[in-house]
Amino acid sequence: MAKMTSRQLANELKSRLTNESWSHQFDREKDTLRIEDKQTGKGITLELPPIIAKWEVKPDETIDEIVYYVKEALSAMKGEAQHISGKEKQIYPVIRSTSFPEASSDGIPLVFDEHTAETRIYYALDLGSTYRLIDEKMLQKENWTKERIRETASFNVRSLETVVKMDEVAGNRFYFFRANDGYDASRLLNESLLQEYAQKIEGQMAISVPHQDVFIIADVRNESGYDILGQMSMSFFASGTVPITALSFLYDEGKLEPIFILAKSRPKQQ
């Protein structure tokens, strides 16, 4: 199968995302495609290399997923103003990389908390098939505090269903959380879940959130376990629609420490 270029992917997405109200802007230098609603000025900017990497693994699904994601997101942006009061059970935390924008496309600051050197915690209002990130304007309009959003989201993430699969590789155990509800990586913020697994870990507990739709807990019992986790994290990071970080974290007594996986299976703390 021939490798797809960013321009080819951009052209394919343009042909699938046709609407009189939408404009398309391909940036060759940044390898991005922006789809914007001409009426609202709001839009989605897609980073193309991660999508290409995912397409190489799942060519039959990737383009369909991106098209669906963009259509739903633009539809949500154009809809009526969203309210958070009365929708407390629909507020969740979402993990993003520290390079993720701090403001919406129209310049309104998003609500977020610093988390680790690699990650931030944003907050989202679930709309069913998509969600909207909560911004400062929404808080001010409904007289909510950041602390209230944080506490509400923290409570809700603990109520998410746990769907986990365990694989054992070279004597190491890897637990994959894949509920496909848009909040898999958010389970990193469920401290009771982490404590539950910390009790059963026999080696070193490590964690990975390479993209928003996967969360990995590793029971590293020998040196090869670090290499395996590093390879898994990089593979998922490259294939995710919303990448977070290819680095893993050591977990110890409630603290997360980002690590590099170096040669000869020796982790190095940042």
Side-chain angles (χ1 to χ4, degrees):
M1 181 172 59
K3 183 176 178 63
M4 179 183 286
T5 67
S6 293
R7 183 175 291 280
Q8 288 172 332
L9 175 58
N11 289 336
E12 175 66 20
L13 290 172
K14 287 179 184 179
S15 69
R16 298 278 297 276
L17 293 165
T18 55
N19 187 303
E20 292 182 357
S21 299
W22 297 348
S23 65
H24 309 86
Q25 182 63 47
F26 171 60
D27 190 319
R28 184 174 60 182
E29 292 184 0
K30 295 182 179 180
D31 267 350
T32 61
L33 175 67
R34 180 167 177 78
I35 304 95
E36 188 172 289
D37 190 302
K38 299 175 186 176
Q39 298 176 354
T40 65
K42 298 179 180 180
I44 300 292
T45 300
L46 301 173
E47 294 185 6
L48 300 177
I51 299 175
I52 292 172
K54 186 174 182 180
W55 175 83
E56 291 174 347
V57 178
K58 297 180 178 180
D60 297 330
E61 303 173 18
T62 300
I63 304 297
D64 288 341
E65 289 179 1
I66 295 300
V67 169
Y68 175 79
Y69 162 75
V70 171
K71 286 182 176 178
E72 290 293 329
L74 288 175
S75 176
M77 290 177 184
K78 193 173 181 179
E80 297 181 359
Q82 299 296 331
H83 300 281
I84 51 180
S85 295
K87 298 180 180 178
E88 287 82 357
K89 293 184 179 180
Q90 297 167 232
I91 297 171
Y92 294 96
V94 290
I95 302 291
R96 291 291 185 268
S97 70
T98 51
S99 63
F100 192 81
E102 298 182 15
S104 63
S105 58
D106 47 2
I108 301 174
L110 296 169
V111 179
F112 66 87
D113 285 309
E114 300 295 342
H115 184 229
T116 72
E118 301 295 320
T119 55
R120 287 197 193 117
I121 305 169
Y122 289 76
Y123 299 94
L125 176 65
D126 191 279
L127 302 175
S129 57
T130 185
Y131 55 69
R132 168 165 179 188
L133 293 179
I134 295 172
D135 57 44
E136 296 285 357
K137 186 176 181 179
M138 295 173 71
L139 292 191
Q140 294 170 6
K141 186 176 181 180
E142 301 190 46
N143 199 29
W144 275 54
T145 63
K146 187 175 179 179
E147 181 64 26
R148 183 178 177 185
I149 285 287
R150 186 185 298 121
E151 290 179 353
T152 301
S154 178
F155 176 82
N156 289 338
V157 78
R158 294 195 295 270
S159 68
L160 290 172
E161 180 184 10
T162 299
V163 179
V164 60
K165 175 185 176 183
M166 192 275 287
D167 281 341
E168 186 163 332
V169 184
N172 303 276
R173 291 188 175 180
F174 301 90
Y175 300 89
F176 299 88
F177 296 78
R178 297 293 296 271
N180 292 319
D181 55 8
Y183 305 103
D184 288 306
S186 300
R187 285 159 172 81
L188 169 63
L189 304 173
N190 184 347
E191 188 60 33
S192 61
L193 177 67
L194 299 186
Q195 289 293 333
E196 175 188 339
Y197 277 81
Q199 296 300 316
K200 66 174 71 175
I201 296 294
E202 296 183 11
Q204 170 68 60
M205 182 169 171
I207 287 172
S208 178
V209 281
H211 65 73
Q212 76 164 14
D213 296 316
V214 66
F215 171 47
I216 305 170
I217 293 179
D219 183 353
V220 181
R221 301 182 179 183
N222 55 55
E223 287 194 351
S224 65
Y226 291 109
D227 284 336
I228 296 167
L229 179 61
Q231 292 166 13
M232 286 180 179
S233 298
M234 183 59 71
S235 176
F236 278 118
F237 177 76
S239 64
T241 304
V242 184
I244 299 175
T245 176
L247 296 184
S248 300
F249 301 85
L250 296 180
Y251 178 83
D252 186 25
E253 297 182 355
K255 296 181 179 180
L256 294 169
E257 189 69 39
I259 56 171
F260 289 105
I261 307 296
L262 302 178
K264 299 184 179 179
S265 308
R266 296 178 183 176
K268 178 182 179 181
Q269 296 186 2
Q270 284 192 299

